[in-house]
Amino acid sequence: MKWGIIGTGGHSKVVLEAIKSCDQNIQVTFFSKVKPDHSFFIPYTFFLDQEELIKLHEGTIDVWHVAIGDITTREKKLEQLTQNNLLIPTIFHVNSIVSPSATVGEGTFVNAGGVINASVKIGRGCIVNTSASVDHDCMIDEFVNIGPGSRLAGHVSVGKQSELGTGVIVLPNVKIGKGCIIGAGSVVVENIPDYSLAYGVPAKIIKNLTNIF
């Protein structure tokens, strides 16, 4: 299997190792706007990330993934791949648990220790990071980041482009709007409106983020 991975930051290392946990015989080509300066990438082929180069490699790469933590950039790159009708699978680390009744969109990544429980729906381009859990009947929209060790109880919903920091806990039936940032270690006990920065135990709204989106 030949993979094209867009991005050469820390998240791309995690994604590569997750892919290799399922298949050690993959071939990988990295695409990035900056040349990687870490020895981790030395064994792999690298190209500067330009749309023309991605199109050039359409016929030589089987599947693609956008391994970029920044939500806005990840969405832009995933849309580019989608417009070119390229194959963009979901990636589940071999040590993750994903319920057969869950629905997970293309380009989403679930890392080691991640748990996706019954009847969960997750949109495209999301990251469920190390040891995060999403319990039954949750609704996670597109391009959401769920930080390492976070815990979402049942019937939680999270809007598009929201980001939950490390160790966030969300209680049952809580709704987090789109474009929200929830600070690390927060406990969310009530609904959070769109474009809010919130943190604390319990989480309180600190700022409206409308002007930065």
Side-chain angles (χ1 to χ4, degrees):
M1 181 73 73
K2 297 180 180 179
W3 284 77
I5 296 180
I6 298 178
T8 53
H11 184 59
S12 66
K13 299 177 186 178
V14 175
V15 168
L16 175 62
E17 292 191 346
I19 296 170
K20 291 174 67 177
S21 76
C22 301
D23 181 3
Q24 287 289 327
N25 296 317
I26 62 169
Q27 299 179 45
V28 179
T29 299
F30 283 95
F31 297 81
S32 178
K33 283 189 174 181
V34 295
K35 186 175 181 179
D37 59 359
H38 195 281
S39 59
F40 182 92
F41 297 100
I42 289 177
Y44 303 102
T45 304
F46 166 81
F47 291 100
L48 287 176
D49 177 14
Q50 298 174 358
E51 185 173 355
E52 295 78 10
L53 277 173
I54 292 174
K55 288 182 177 179
L56 180 65
H57 287 82
E58 286 180 13
T60 62
I61 291 175
D62 301 310
V63 292
W64 295 77
H65 186 79
V66 183
I68 296 174
D70 178 75
I71 292 172
T72 302
T73 305
R74 186 166 72 250
E75 180 176 10
K76 178 181 177 181
K77 294 300 180 182
L78 188 63
E79 293 295 351
Q80 178 185 336
L81 297 179
T82 300
Q83 290 171 7
N84 289 334
N85 297 313
L86 302 176
L87 184 59
I88 311 165
T90 55
I91 299 175
F92 303 137
H93 192 285
V94 70
N95 291 327
S96 64
I97 299 173
V98 179
S99 167
S101 64
T103 303
V104 183
E106 68 177 6
T108 286
F109 171 70
V110 181
N111 202 15
V115 178
I116 309 299
N117 266 318
S119 300
V120 168
K121 294 184 178 179
I122 300 180
R124 300 183 306 145
C126 293
I127 296 174
V128 180
N129 227 314
T130 311
S131 298
S133 64
V134 181
D135 220 315
H136 64 87
D137 299 292
C138 286
M139 302 282 290
I140 311 300
D141 209 334
E142 299 179 324
F143 305 104
V144 169
N145 287 0
I146 300 176
S150 292
R151 300 284 185 265
L152 278 60
H155 293 281
V156 165
S157 68
V158 181
K160 183 176 179 179
Q161 294 184 324
S162 285
E163 184 164 6
L164 281 60
T166 300
V168 167
I169 296 174
V170 187
L171 270 57
N173 302 303
V174 167
K175 297 181 178 180
I176 296 173
K178 62 184 178 181
C180 291
I181 299 174
I182 310 298
S186 297
V187 178
V188 186
V189 302
E190 57 186 17
N191 294 348
I192 304 293
D194 294 349
Y195 303 114
S196 295
L197 168 64
Y199 63 84
V201 182
K204 300 294 184 182
I205 298 170
I206 307 302
K207 182 188 296 186
N208 182 282
L209 301 173
T210 304
N211 293 333
I212 70 172
F213 283 88

